[in-house]
Amino acid sequence: MPRVERVSAATGFARAVFHDLLSAAPQPLPPMAWPRALRWLPHTLVLLAAGALCATGADATARGLAILHAATLVLGLHRPVPAWWLSVAIAVGLTISHPPSPENELWAWVVLSGSVFLLVLRNRHGSAVAAALISALAAFGLHLAGIGTSWPVQYTGVLLAVAVLLGAVLRGRRVDREKLAEQQAATARERAHRTLLEERARIARELHDVVAHHMSLAAIQADAAPHRVQDPPEELVDAFRAIRGSALEALTELRHVLGVLRIESAAPADPSPQPTLDRIDDLFADVRAAGTPVTARVTGRSGPLPPSLELSAFRIVQEALSNVLRHAPGAKAEVEIVHTDAAPRLRILNGPPGRGAVPPAGEAGGGHGVLGMRERAAILGGELTAGPTPDGGYEVAALLPAAAVRSTVG
């Protein structure tokens, strides 16, 4: 490394240390991440240590100074840098002003080492080492001046070294845990995003089948319509030809968009027709055969619904019952479908899992749980809520606005 760069790095390091040791910003000591029951144990130990040190001192004056000095440990739980500076000043001041004795100096340098330890826990290693060196220089300076000779100054150096090493180890472990938690959170966000994209691609493939069927019918009917009339006008033939061309063009664009949205998957596409609510009884039969009792209730008149809504409603019920099989084996399930002109309502409710029940090896449905159901409802402009019930079960409720879908299609 060139000399200029070394000087620049050293200057930057010195500025960072200087900034850390002159900062009065609050740095609360975080609780322990594990075990949960002992999360406040470090704070409790510091308070107990401060209380024990308050009882030390050779006489009443020394005991009063011990109480004042021990209070810096409590301050160090929230503001470690000011607490350390205050601890250094008190340790030096009382060593100079009060007649030295082993009892007096013992608690003075123990408290100072404790304040250094609390500082190390929340500051970078360079700043921690600098604080320990300043503290050691204060002790050795008093020793060279012949003040406080009753307490071996080497013991002070050992205490400060132990405080720095132990604090650095504990801080390193805490930093590693925080980085691991951040990585896990980032991984979870990435997994959720990928799941959402996969579910959107799956929905796009299903809607493609529905829309492509109707677009093909429109193209065929437009092609055949002129032949149903004897000697049709040329304008009528041109109009039907334009309709057929538009339908075929829309079908081509639809397949192109689906190709853009498609995500590579090991599972092959299902060539079977897309299901509708007319096949809901077959779904209930499959779930009952898998060991989950299902009670179904359908109310209201079922008028013609847009194919995309029929498909999404079926898939939401299928995915909700699939979740019952996966997460609450042996539980009873209730499905309620309320048909209205404005918005069909779906409600799937299950109780707590049965005792001793084992999840089946196969899982019904191929979606992504609540995320996929919520995405299906959102695409149609609907709403979906899901959450646990007080008795330990789970409820999924969906509102699918048929009127909005009809207006979009129209």
Side-chain angles (χ1 to χ4, degrees), residues 49-67:
L53 290 168
C54 289
T56 62
D59 50 35
T61 303
R63 191 170 296 113
L65 293 173
I67 294 174

Side-chain angles (χ1 to χ4, degrees), residues 29 70 90 110 177 195 198 207-208 241 266 268 279 288 313 317 323-324 328-329 333 354 358 362-363 368 407 410:
L29 182 67
I90 294 176
V110 167
R177 286 195 300 269
T195 298
E198 291 176 351
L207 292 180
H208 164 265
R241 187 180 297 113
R279 294 174 50 191
R288 293 188 185 104
V317 175
N323 286 343
V324 177
V358 179
E363 295 179 349
H368 295 97
S407 62

Side-chain angles (χ1 to χ4, degrees), residues 40-404:
W40 299 110
L41 178 62
H43 303 72
T44 304
L45 292 178
V46 171
L47 294 176
L48 291 177
L53 290 168
C54 289
T56 62
D59 50 35
T61 303
R63 191 170 296 113
L65 293 173
I67 294 174
L68 177 63
H69 202 187
T72 61
L73 291 178
V74 180
L75 176 63
L77 291 174
H78 191 68
R79 296 178 184 266
V81 176
W84 167 70
W85 280 114
L86 186 60
S87 180
V88 172
I90 294 176
V92 173
L94 66 87
T95 304
I96 295 175
S97 63
H98 200 69
S101 66
E103 294 84 358
N104 295 343
E105 288 189 290
L106 171 63
W107 56 257
W109 299 111
V110 167
V111 171
L112 179 58
S113 300
S115 65
V116 171
F117 172 75
L118 293 176
L119 184 146
V120 175
L121 288 177
R122 282 158 289 172
N123 289 275
R124 67 192 85 192
H125 296 327
S127 303
V129 172
L133 289 176
I134 294 174
S135 304
L137 288 175
F140 279 92
L142 293 173
H143 176 72
L144 294 176
I147 303 174
T149 56
S150 59
W151 170 258
V153 70
Q154 295 85 352
Y155 291 0
T156 301
V158 172
L159 285 176
L160 292 172
V162 170
V164 172
L165 290 176
L166 182 59
V169 170
L170 294 178
R171 181 178 182 274
R173 293 184 59 186
R174 177 170 56 83
V175 171
D176 290 341
R177 286 195 300 269
E178 290 175 353
K179 290 182 178 179
L180 179 61
E182 291 176 359
Q183 292 176 355
Q184 290 175 341
T187 302
R189 289 193 297 269
E190 180 64 25
R191 186 183 300 113
H193 181 65
R194 180 174 177 81
T195 298
L196 181 62
L197 294 179
E198 291 176 351
E199 189 65 19
R200 286 180 177 178
R202 180 171 177 259
I203 295 172
R205 288 194 296 269
E206 293 177 349
L207 292 180
H208 164 265
D209 294 341
V210 174
V211 177
H213 171 72
H214 291 278
M215 296 299 294
S216 299
L217 280 180
I220 293 173
Q221 290 174 351
D223 190 35
H227 302 287
R228 297 176 179 271
V229 180
Q230 187 175 3
D231 298 328
E234 189 65 26
E235 294 83 358
L236 182 63
V237 174
D238 293 339
F240 279 115
R241 187 180 297 113
I243 293 174
R244 180 178 181 275
S246 298
L248 293 177
E249 183 179 355
L251 190 58
T252 302
E253 289 296 326
L254 180 64
R255 288 169 178 163
H256 174 70
V257 172
L258 177 65
V260 174
L261 293 177
R262 187 183 300 274
I263 296 177
E264 293 296 330
S265 174
D270 187 2
S272 59
Q274 297 299 337
T276 62
L277 290 178
D278 294 336
R279 294 174 50 191
I280 198 73
D281 291 335
D282 297 336
L283 173 62
F284 295 153
D286 293 339
V287 175
R288 293 188 185 104
T292 297
V294 179
T295 302
R297 183 168 65 253
V298 181
T299 59
R301 291 189 303 172
S302 177
L305 295 174
S308 58
L309 190 144
E310 288 255 4
L311 172 62
S312 294
F314 182 92
R315 291 301 191 196
I316 288 174
V317 175
Q318 182 186 46
E319 193 66 34
L321 293 177
S322 177
N323 286 343
V324 177
L325 290 174
R326 282 194 293 262
H327 306 298
K332 296 181 180 180
E334 299 179 7
V335 178
E336 182 180 4
I337 302 175
V338 179
H339 289 285
T340 63
D341 292 335
R345 298 176 181 270
L346 309 175
R347 182 172 177 267
I348 303 93
L349 176 67
N350 66 271
R355 292 184 177 180
V358 179
E363 295 179 349
H368 295 97
V370 176
L371 180 64
M373 292 186 286
R374 196 167 274 132
E375 183 67 15
R376 288 183 180 278
I379 287 178
L380 298 177
E383 299 177 358
L384 185 139
T385 58
T389 58
D391 63 348
Y394 204 83
E395 180 180 9
V396 176
L399 178 67
L400 305 178

Side-chain angles (χ1 to χ4, degrees), residues 31-42 173 177:
M32 293 176 60
W34 184 89
R36 189 74 176 176
L38 301 179
R39 60 195 313 259
W40 299 110
L41 178 62
R173 293 184 59 186
R177 286 195 300 269

